[in-house]
């Protein structure tokens, strides 16, 4: 299991447990995200609080999850990104694709 999840008021909070988000866990991440969506989640807030490194294969899995969710009206928010991870997402313009927030609280405030 790569994601630790809990549901609060219909919002799934999913924390990535690994410090490195890379090829070795990219497929597992994609499978766990799609399972959450298949089980009825309409908003998944993914916390990167533990992630110090992310590679292109993991980014690909993140995009696959987003592409799976979009036609089903499922949102994916990203929170608690370390500066290096946030800078990478900004550099490759993923900050235009994903809604990125400082933390869970800020993401929940954006809903209201």
């Amino acid at each position: 299991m790569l994601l630790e999840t809990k549901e609060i008021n219909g919002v799934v909070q999913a924390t990535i447990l690994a410090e490195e988000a890379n090829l070795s866990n990219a497929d597992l991440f994609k499978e766990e995200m799609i399972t959450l969506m298949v089980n009825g989640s309409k908003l998944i807030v993914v916390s990167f609080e533990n992630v110090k490194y992310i590679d292109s294969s993991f980014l690909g899995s993140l995009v696959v999850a987003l592409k799976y969710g979009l036609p089903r009206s499922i949102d994916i928010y990203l929170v608690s990104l370390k500066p290096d991870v946030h800078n990478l997402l900004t550099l490759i313009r993923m900050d235009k694709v994903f809604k990125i927030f400082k933390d869970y609280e800020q993401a929940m405030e954006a809903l209201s």
Side-chain angles (χ1 to χ4, degrees):
M1 182 168 74
L2 180 65
L3 296 174
E4 180 179 83
T5 61
K6 63 182 173 182
E7 186 174 337
I8 300 173
N9 299 327
V11 175
V12 173
Q13 296 180 349
T15 302
I16 300 170
L17 298 174
E19 285 188 11
E20 291 193 10
N22 56 31
L23 178 62
S24 68
N25 52 26
D27 282 340
L28 180 59
F29 173 77
K30 178 175 57 179
E31 289 169 17
E32 290 185 23
M33 287 292 289
I34 290 173
T35 298
L36 290 171
M37 293 182 222
V38 167
N39 289 337
S41 302
K42 290 297 179 189
L43 173 59
I44 303 170
V45 181
V46 181
S47 173
F48 282 74
E49 64 193 62
N50 301 316
V51 178
K52 295 178 181 170
Y53 171 81
I54 187 168
D55 75 1
S56 61
S57 58
F58 198 91
L59 287 170
S61 290
L62 195 56
V63 170
V64 167
L66 181 68
K67 283 185 167 186
Y68 184 88
L70 281 174
R72 295 163 178 83
S73 300
I74 301 169
D75 282 326
I76 298 172
Y77 292 179
L78 309 181
V79 300
S80 302
L81 281 75
K82 301 258 190 271
D84 286 347
V85 174
H86 191 273
N87 290 341
L88 174 64
L89 292 179
T90 302
L91 179 70
I92 61 173
R93 306 192 109 162
M94 294 291 265
D95 61 328
K96 307 291 184 221
V97 177
F98 289 96
K99 293 177 183 166
I100 299 174
F101 299 94
K102 184 181 97 183
D103 52 30
Y104 282 125
E105 291 73 29
Q106 189 184 55
M108 293 303 100
E109 286 172 13
L111 290 174
S112 29

